[in-house]
Amino acid sequence: MGNQRQYNKDGGFTQYLYKDESDKEIIGGVTCKLVSRIDDPSGTHSGLPKYSSTTEVYLKKGKDGLASQARVYKDRHSFMDIDWSHTHKNPDGTTFPKGTAHVQVYKTDKDGNVVRLSDKARPMTDAEIKKYGPVIKHYNPNVKF
């Protein structure tokens, strides 16, 4: 679990920046784990790793001990974030209240940089709720979809 400098394309990382807060689990066929950044144990200032090791979904441990965010990975790369720990407002006025899950996807720009489309947050689709909802509810039963 780490970022670009620590990422090893053949597997693993040269340095781990996050620690496990739970064992790896399989919920509804999805491998998942609750994590926190090693140098930010309160979880107040860090997000989630840009790359995964062997897990499809990492969830960020919040101040209350429950998950406050989830990141979904495809081929070990960030694919989408599912957030609910804050109110989010898109430039077009679409608003997601705190506690309600919203999705922000990652895209590769023309320069090859992976960027999160934070200004285009959207609700979870029915398929995403079916697949990732049980994972999110396992680590934070208070999330609304």
Side-chain angles (χ1 to χ4, degrees), residues 2 6 21 26 29 38 40 43 53 58 67-68 71 78 105 107 115-116 122-123:
Q6 293 81 23
E21 295 288 348
I26 300 174
I38 291 169
D40 184 24
S53 187
Y58 286 136
S68 62
R71 181 163 292 159
S78 297
V105 298
K107 297 284 183 177
V115 293
R116 184 172 73 170
R122 61 169 174 77

Side-chain angles (χ1 to χ4, degrees), residues 7-8 27-28 32 39 44 51 54 59 63 65 74 81 92 96 123 128 133 142-143:
Y7 177 74
N8 180 348
I27 299 173
C32 51
D39 62 0
T44 55
Y51 301 94
T54 60
L59 297 103
K63 289 186 260 186
K74 296 276 185 186
D81 285 352
D92 69 1
F96 300 91
E128 290 165 347
N142 306 315
V143 178

Side-chain angles (χ1 to χ4, degrees), residues 1-76:
M1 298 172 278
N3 292 321
Q4 190 166 353
R5 280 193 194 151
Q6 293 81 23
Y7 177 74
N8 180 348
K9 69 179 182 174
D10 296 325
F13 298 88
T14 59
Q15 178 185 12
Y16 286 82
L17 304 176
Y18 295 80
K19 66 179 179 176
D20 298 344
E21 295 288 348
S22 74
D23 292 331
K24 182 165 63 171
E25 299 185 67
I26 300 174
I27 299 173
V30 176
T31 58
C32 51
K33 189 186 307 185
L34 187 68
V35 300
S36 65
R37 190 164 166 104
I38 291 169
D39 62 0
D40 184 24
S42 69
T44 55
H45 300 292
S46 61
L48 286 161
K50 290 188 187 227
Y51 301 94
S52 72
S53 187
T54 60
T55 305
E56 182 179 352
V57 176
Y58 286 136
L59 297 103
K60 176 183 171 183
K61 181 180 176 183
K63 289 186 260 186
D64 61 1
L66 299 174
S68 62
Q69 178 186 23
R71 181 163 292 159
V72 178
Y73 300 86
K74 296 276 185 186
D75 299 321
R76 299 185 59 210

Side-chain angles (χ1 to χ4, degrees), residues 71-138:
R71 181 163 292 159
V72 178
Y73 300 86
K74 296 276 185 186
D75 299 321
R76 299 185 59 210
H77 292 76
S78 297
F79 176 72
M80 73 177 178
D81 285 352
I82 305 170
D83 295 325
W84 57 84
S85 65
H86 61 277
T87 298
H88 181 93
K89 187 172 183 177
N90 287 338
D92 69 1
T94 304
T95 302
F96 300 91
K98 182 177 180 176
T100 301
H102 58 281
V103 173
Q104 298 169 71
V105 298
Y106 287 84
K107 297 284 183 177
T108 303
D109 68 15
K110 61 181 168 107
D111 298 320
N113 300 310
V114 177
V115 293
R116 184 172 73 170
L117 303 179
S118 296
D119 60 343
K120 296 181 181 177
R122 61 169 174 77
M124 291 178 73
T125 66
D126 289 342
E128 290 165 347
I129 292 169
K130 183 177 180 180
K131 184 171 184 174
Y132 303 113
V135 172
I136 292 168
K137 287 289 194 175
H138 177 77

